[in-house]
Amino acid sequence: ESLLDAVAAVVMYCDGGDTHLINDHLQTFNRLLDTGVGILALHYCVEVPNGSPAAQSMLAAIGGYFETDWSVNPEWTANYIELPNHPVTRGLQPFELQDEWYFNMRFVEQGITPILSTIAPPSTMARRDGPHSGNDAVRQLVADGVPQVTAWAYERPGGGRGFGYTGGHYHANWDNANARELVLNAIEWVALKP
């Protein structure tokens, strides 16, 4: 754990849910948050057990997380036609990418800046209801054409920054210059203290 004493940021790209690495290291993780260390979570590691202490820590770290029986993880082609003016979008162009994009995330009430947002097609709701696949609330959002946030930036009220990126299921997608540049920019952004 002494390796973490002088870090500016932690980038997590790992299994989530019950096997998420923070579940057994919450004291250390929360200490990093208290000292303003930036946190970036990629793909499956935005999921922590619903209602757990890890869920509260992830909300505090990056401002949102994948909540089972609420969020969904379909594979679909997302078309990001508008990007906000933010340091993590520097040098990016609108792009389209097929991935397992998670959406209907559980977010804190304030402080989230949507970075990648688009309307999910009806095909994302083709699966039966389940812990990762659908529920009445998300089906209504998709039917109503409500844009879904699949990447976001968060400035923590107590100091420090967080970033969530739900793509990253297919490693070949790192060949996409926009996806790669977005995450590289986000790493730099979370590492810089505001």
Side-chain angles (χ1 to χ4, degrees):
E1 289 196 5
S2 64
L3 293 173
L4 300 172
D5 287 347
V7 299
V10 172
V11 178
M12 299 181 294
Y13 194 19
C14 60
D15 284 349
D18 292 334
T19 59
H20 198 293
L21 63 87
I22 70 168
N23 292 335
D24 295 329
H25 302 282
L26 277 179
Q27 184 175 1
T28 299
F29 187 72
N30 289 333
R31 177 177 54 83
L32 294 172
L33 299 183
D34 290 344
T35 60
V37 170
I39 304 292
L40 191 142
L42 301 169
H43 196 56
Y44 187 19
C45 79
V46 300
E47 181 185 333
V48 287
N50 184 6
S52 69
Q56 292 306 310
S57 293
M58 190 62 80
L59 275 174
I62 65 170
Y65 74 100
F66 183 103
E67 182 179 289
T68 52
D69 295 307
W70 179 254
S71 307
V72 293
N73 66 348
E75 293 183 22
W76 54 296
T77 301
N79 188 8
Y80 300 109
I81 57 176
E82 292 184 31
L83 300 171
N85 182 15
H86 191 279
V88 301
T89 62
R90 185 185 65 246
L92 272 65
Q93 299 297 318
F95 67 102
E96 183 176 276
L97 190 62
Q98 182 178 347
D99 207 326
E100 184 185 53
W101 296 106
Y102 303 169
F103 64 91
N104 201 38
M105 308 301 286
R106 180 65 69 189
F107 288 119
V108 294
E109 290 184 15
Q110 296 180 358
I112 295 295
T113 300
I115 300 297
L116 295 181
S117 181
T118 191
I119 296 172
S123 62
T124 60
M125 295 291 102
R127 302 178 297 171
R128 296 181 195 169
D129 285 353
H132 294 88
S133 57
N135 56 68
D136 290 343
V138 73
R139 289 183 191 286
Q140 190 62 55
L141 291 171
V142 171
D144 292 344
V146 175
Q148 295 295 321
V149 176
T150 58
W152 64 95
Y154 181 56
E155 298 215 31
R156 299 197 298 263
R161 294 171 169 170
F163 191 85
Y165 177 79
T166 70
H169 182 75
Y170 299 114
H171 288 266
N173 281 351
W174 296 119
D175 283 340
N176 182 290
N178 286 295
R180 188 175 58 250
E181 190 67 23
L182 172 69
V183 172
L184 290 172
N185 286 346
I187 292 168
E188 180 181 16
W189 183 76
V190 300
L192 297 172
K193 296 205 178 195

